[in-house]
Amino acid sequence: MTREPHPHLHVLTEGPVRTITLANPDRRNAQTPSLWLALAEEARSVPDDVRVVVIRGEGPSFSAGIDTAMFSPEGVKGEESIPALITRGPEAVADRIGHWQQGFAGWSTCPAVVIAEIQGHAIGAGFQLALSADLRVVASDALFAMREISLGLVPDLAGTKPLVDLVGYSRALEICTTGRLVSAHEAERLGLVTVLAAPDGLEDATLALAEAILAAPATAGRAVKPLLRHAVGSDLTSQVERERKAQAGLLAGFFARPPK
Ligand code: CAA
């Protein structure tokens, strides 16, 4: 089944795998607020029977980040430009950003395992979208950059926490303050890459990872993600309690019988 919830977003569901494609290749999948809101709705509405979500970009690059035309007074057709938004005051701006962030942070709580498939460039909001996924399959010639600093801004689309969690505070600070390019090989050394793939084998690598996830029993598979997500930032006592509860729930399921 295919859907187009946004002019630049194609969604294909094939059994337990949902593929969400950024579809504006002529602008290197540049992102806009309406796209972030559509992504937020997608993240909110993943049904339990979808076990893997793949987020990918059409064309040469995963995503070149925010559509830079958003910063001009003319903006992007159908979107409120950043200069227009700013006139509404800092509280209104922060409120809007809160909605946009759900297009990124929302993937952490969706029931499926989320894989970002990265080729070409993942810049700014593109890098942050890659970070919002649970796993990253990356072409060996791909490049990442947290370019917000070059616009006089900070990364604000839920990317700073996963970046710090994955690479550590000092390296994250260096990447965000310089805005430099990070190669796929360096990204792999830093822990940002789940699978490093040959550029012409990227889709196959994603499929193989999805198939490996789907090979596990569904109920246990669904329990693992919230369990491990909880481990990020929690203490041992709280985490072992979560393990006990998750396991007890699974074991209860083994012996559950329909009521007579
Ligand atoms: N916004 C709008 N259009 C973009 C774009 C962007 N972010 N990135 C690329 N494009 C457009 C180009 O203008 C170009 O359009 P035309 O064909 O009409 O000239 C087309 O896409 C192809 O671009 P390139 O020829 O540059 O393609 P490339 O493959 O040689 O290079 C690239 C790709 C390295 C990503 C380069 O396009 C680039 O550096 N883009 C800008 C990246 C950027 O600075 N993004 C903002 C990051 S900050 C952010 O995202 C955070 C935030 O929320 C504030």
Side-chain angles (χ1 to χ4, degrees):
M1 194 189 77
T2 53
R3 290 185 289 116
E4 284 188 25
H6 181 278
H8 297 144
L9 208 56
H10 298 168
V11 179
L12 169 67
T13 305
E14 296 168 295
V17 180
R18 181 164 290 182
T19 303
I20 297 180
T21 302
L22 307 178
N24 191 7
D26 291 346
R27 287 176 88 81
R28 300 299 183 262
N29 299 316
Q31 302 175 24
T32 56
S34 67
L35 181 89
W36 297 331
L37 297 181
L39 282 169
E41 184 50 35
E42 288 302 315
R44 262 193 297 273
S45 59
V46 175
D48 275 349
D49 58 351
V50 168
R51 293 179 55 202
V52 175
V53 170
V54 177
I55 302 179
R56 59 183 293 280
E58 202 177 306
S61 273
F62 175 68
S63 174
I66 192 171
D67 191 317
T68 46
M70 287 294 303
F71 293 102
S72 69
E74 303 76 38
V76 175
K77 196 164 174 272
E79 311 275 349
E80 182 180 28
S81 71
I82 302 290
L85 174 62
I86 290 167
T87 62
R88 296 207 269 132
E91 277 182 32
V93 172
D95 180 69
R96 289 311 296 154
I97 293 172
H99 292 284
W100 302 342
Q101 285 171 330
Q102 285 312 305
F104 299 73
W107 298 107
S108 68
T109 48
C110 99
V113 176
V114 181
I115 303 173
E117 183 184 278
I118 317 294
Q119 83 285 12
H121 291 85
I123 299 190
F127 193 177
Q128 295 190 70
L129 187 58
L131 286 163
S132 75
D134 299 305
L135 311 173
R136 280 155 291 281
V137 179
V138 178
S140 55
D141 57 356
L143 294 165
F144 299 83
M146 207 61 100
R147 221 17 100 59
E148 287 77 356
I149 195 81
S150 68
L151 300 170
L153 297 170
V154 295
D156 66 338
L157 296 168
T160 56
K161 177 156 175 55
L163 184 66
V164 170
D165 287 344
L166 288 164
V167 309
Y169 162 75
S170 289
R171 181 59 70 195
L173 183 65
E174 182 264 324
I175 286 170
C176 293
T177 51
T178 64
R180 71 173 171 89
L181 289 169
V182 177
S183 72
H185 288 282
E186 181 187 356
E188 186 187 34
R189 285 196 302 278
L190 292 176
L192 290 165
V193 175
T194 313
V195 177
L196 192 68
D200 62 357
L202 187 64
E203 278 178 47
D204 286 347
T206 305
L207 190 63
L209 181 58
E211 282 173 352
I213 292 165
L214 294 172
T219 319
R222 273 194 286 272
V224 172
K225 174 171 167 174
L227 178 64
L228 268 68
R229 281 271 179 189
H230 183 263
V232 181
S234 42
D235 63 24
L236 185 60
T237 308
S238 152
Q239 186 60 17
V240 293
E241 184 187 343
R242 283 292 277 253
E243 289 178 358
R244 287 196 295 277
K245 283 188 178 155
Q247 199 74 310
L250 289 171
L251 288 168
F254 288 178
F255 303 105
R257 296 278 180 277
K260 289 185 180 166

